[in-house]
Amino acid sequence: MAGSTPSLDKVVALLRRLPGIGPRSAQRIALDLLLRKRELMPQLAQALEQAHRAIRHCTRCNNLCEDELCVLCSSARRDRGTLCIVESPADLLAIEDSGAYSGEYFVLMGHLSPLDGIGPDALHLDLLEKRLQEDGLQEVIFATNSTLEGEATAQFVAALVPERIRVTRIARGIPMGGELEYLDRSTLGRAVHGRGALDP
Ligand code: ZN
């Protein structure tokens, strides 16, 4: 680009390949690094290189980790009888943050999306099937997103679960503090259908 330099152009072009970063944001981040946070640049490069070298997939749950097994799979405190299936590491972190779950996870690293050419091969199902054969597994909870792709993925993967294992889906419904009149009708409808006992 006129007025730029080849190295700056290269940084901008790479930043633009990241999700949610358009041409202007990429330029702003690159200039900010060069002009105001120059000392961050070698640190950032080193951290990226280190992460690239060290981070791999857990051989049990497919989440990201730096050893053979991730921290959750190595923990003796997790309930091995329950397996929660999520689409991404971010979803796993969100459920962990909720503090409501103490079982194990499996991270699909995506969802089925035929239009984008993403089929079952992308979901690491061979690893999941191995996990599903383990003795002691009593429940598989589907916590895929409440989107068309998330629902289709849950349906597809649920067919792989052996019959002796209970299959559940996380509830959909009203958010905490939500007021009914402002909710979209489909969420409200699902909340009515998925109603449970009144908490004591
Ligand atoms: Zn793991």
Side-chain angles (χ1 to χ4, degrees):
M1 194 191 300
S4 182
T5 82
S7 302
L8 178 57
D9 284 347
K10 193 166 181 184
V11 174
V12 171
L14 285 170
L15 286 171
R16 280 188 62 181
R17 289 170 63 178
L18 299 173
I21 299 189
R24 282 193 184 189
S25 304
Q27 202 172 57
R28 200 174 328 120
I29 294 169
L31 287 174
D32 204 48
L33 282 167
L34 279 164
L35 300 174
R36 281 176 285 276
K37 303 203 173 67
R38 210 174 168 93
E39 75 287 354
L40 262 187
M41 296 180 81
Q43 293 177 40
L44 197 56
Q46 204 183 9
L48 286 171
E49 206 183 344
Q50 160 83 16
H52 183 256
R53 202 175 333 115
I55 297 179
R56 54 183 171 146
H57 292 264
C58 172
T59 54
R60 185 173 168 82
C61 73
N62 202 35
N63 195 17
L64 300 177
C65 67
E66 300 197 14
D67 291 299
E68 174 98 6
L69 289 176
C70 71
V71 179
L72 291 175
C73 287
S74 321
S75 166
R77 289 206 209 131
R78 308 298 297 200
D79 168 18
R80 299 211 181 279
T82 324
L83 184 68
C84 179
I85 298 184
V86 294
E87 291 182 28
S88 74
D91 298 338
L92 181 154
L93 291 173
I95 294 179
E96 273 302 287
D97 254 359
S98 78
Y101 181 68
S102 58
E104 294 198 307
Y105 293 93
F106 188 84
V107 187
L108 296 168
M109 296 292 169
H111 52 232
L112 293 177
S113 182
L115 289 178
D116 301 315
I118 305 173
D121 291 351
L123 301 183
H124 310 269
L125 297 177
D126 44 343
L127 194 58
L128 174 62
E129 286 194 277
K130 219 167 77 184
R131 178 74 182 85
L132 291 173
Q133 297 309 321
E134 274 184 29
D135 287 341
L137 183 57
Q138 290 164 346
E139 181 178 0
V140 172
I141 304 168
F142 283 90
T144 51
N145 288 327
S146 190
T147 56
L148 276 179
E149 291 89 353
E151 299 293 349
T153 304
Q155 292 293 334
F156 183 88
V157 177
L160 305 175
V161 182
E163 261 181 38
R164 61 180 176 81
I165 299 170
R166 184 171 175 233
V167 176
T168 55
R169 177 92 171 97
I170 53 167
R172 303 93 157 177
I174 51 174
M176 289 298 284
E179 294 181 38
L180 298 200
E181 65 173 308
Y182 300 117
L183 281 183
D184 72 272
R185 296 308 182 244
S186 135
T187 301
L188 188 53
R190 282 174 184 268
V192 173
H193 285 302
R195 66 191 181 277
L198 189 67
D199 288 335

